[in-house]
Amino acid sequence: GDEAEVRRGTRPRLDVLHAWDPGAMNEEDVKRQIQQMVMFIRQEAEEKASEIRVSAEEDFNIEKLQMVEAEKQRIRKEYERKESQVEVQKMIEKSMQRNEARLKVLEARQKLVQRALKEVEKKLKELVEGPKYKTILKQLIAQGAHRIGTKECVIRCRQVDRDVVKGLLEEAREEYKRVFGDEEAPVFTVEEKFYLPPPPVKDDFEGSFCLGGVVLVSKDGKVSCSNTLDERLEVAAEMFLPKVRLC
């Protein structure tokens, strides 16, 4: 048929059809020629439409693949971002839990030490009220004087201990000689203007108080040594605290 002629190349080209002469043809030839021209134009249009359709499909497929790949990349990055956030959040939570647990341990340890200190303070209060306190005072005076290392020392004590301390001055010098050998014992005087805080009134040990002991000061006031029971207890507690372990 005509379509087969077009595919085989026997159908007249459009530029050739433009040159035909209607006056040299009869009516049938004119109709046939016009039909061939219509078929040619239709074929060209179909081929062009097919090319456009194929090209559009290819472009669509390429764009679709690009969009799909871009969306995959976006989803992958979003997943990685959220995964990273989750990991960071886990690390933060673990750190907070560790810190919270550490604080609880420290708090419990501190409470345990405070309870122990309260018990020791009660024992020291009982000790100070007993007969052994004079011996303890004598030893504390000698030790403090040796730390200062001066020939004259001023002893500061609680007002309730003033008379006891005055009566121990010579014994304290003898204690100094006994413990520290040939060193010359210093001369002691008792401070009677400024006193250490008074003993605790109640067993709750609240407010300002001093369990006992003395503070020794050089005569010029430049060197001092606190040798109170409170100070000794505080030093002992600081040494004891790192050794506390909770079960």
Side-chain angles (χ1 to χ4, degrees):
D2 294 330
E3 294 182 0
E5 289 179 359
V6 172
R7 288 194 295 270
R8 290 196 302 269
T10 58
R11 183 170 56 107
R13 299 291 303 171
L14 185 59
D15 55 349
V16 177
L17 295 176
H18 287 166
W20 68 289
D21 185 5
M25 299 181 183
N26 57 33
E27 186 177 351
E28 290 298 326
D29 291 334
V30 172
K31 288 182 179 181
R32 183 168 52 82
Q33 192 71 25
I34 291 173
Q35 186 177 8
Q36 287 178 353
M37 291 175 64
V38 170
M39 292 177 59
F40 176 82
I41 293 172
R42 181 183 298 168
Q43 181 67 23
E44 287 292 328
E46 291 178 353
E47 290 178 358
K48 190 63 177 177
S50 178
E51 291 176 2
I52 293 173
R53 184 172 56 255
V54 171
S55 177
E57 289 179 355
E58 291 178 353
D59 292 342
F60 171 76
N61 289 331
I62 293 172
E63 186 175 357
K64 182 175 69 174
L65 290 175
Q66 291 176 346
M67 291 177 64
V68 170
E69 186 62 27
E71 185 65 14
K72 287 182 179 178
Q73 290 290 339
R74 188 191 67 79
I75 293 174
R76 189 179 297 111
K77 289 181 180 180
E78 181 68 14
Y79 174 79
E80 292 174 354
R81 184 183 67 82
K82 290 184 177 181
E83 187 178 31
S84 177
Q85 287 180 342
V86 170
E87 290 300 323
V88 171
Q89 188 63 31
K90 286 182 179 179
M91 293 175 63
I92 293 174
E93 290 177 357
K94 286 183 179 179
S95 179
M96 291 177 63
Q97 290 173 357
R98 285 196 297 268
N99 289 337
E100 185 178 356
R102 189 181 297 111
L103 289 175
K104 287 182 178 179
V105 170
L106 291 175
E107 183 180 359
R109 182 186 297 176
Q110 189 66 28
K111 288 181 178 180
L112 179 63
V113 171
Q114 290 300 321
R115 286 200 299 269
L117 289 177
K118 292 295 183 183
E119 292 299 321
V120 174
E121 287 173 344
K122 291 179 181 180
K123 297 293 183 181
L124 288 176
K125 186 173 182 291
E126 294 174 1
L127 179 66
V128 168
E129 293 171 352
K132 294 182 179 180
Y133 183 50
K134 286 185 179 181
T135 302
I136 294 174
L137 272 177
K138 177 179 64 177
Q139 294 171 344
L140 292 174
I141 293 171
Q143 291 171 1
H146 184 261
R147 291 181 182 177
I148 290 179
T150 59
K151 294 182 179 180
E152 296 184 42
C153 294
V154 178
I155 302 173
R156 188 173 296 164
C157 62
R158 304 183 304 178
Q159 190 170 7
V160 295
D161 294 334
R162 180 188 58 191
D163 294 339
V164 176
V165 172
K166 281 185 175 182
L168 289 174
L169 296 184
E170 287 303 318
E171 292 185 35
R173 286 173 56 84
E174 294 299 323
E175 178 71 11
Y176 187 99
K177 294 177 182 179
R178 184 185 70 80
V179 176
F180 302 109
D182 297 333
E183 293 185 25
E184 182 181 355
V187 176
F188 297 118
T189 57
V190 179
E191 170 72 59
E192 298 193 48
K193 186 176 181 181
F194 300 103
Y195 294 99
L196 299 179
V201 178
K202 299 178 180 179
D203 288 342
D204 56 7
F205 299 94
E206 299 295 335
S208 177
F209 63 86
C210 178
L211 291 169
V214 293
V215 173
L216 287 97
V217 185
S218 61
K219 189 174 182 180
D220 57 11
K222 294 181 178 180
V223 185
S224 66
C225 173
S226 177
N227 217 15
T228 63
L229 297 180
D230 309 75
E231 185 75 20
R232 301 292 288 268
L233 179 59
E234 184 177 347
V235 172
E238 290 177 356
M239 297 176 60
F240 173 69
L241 183 58
K243 298 180 181 180
V244 176
R245 295 291 183 270
L246 299 177
C247 299

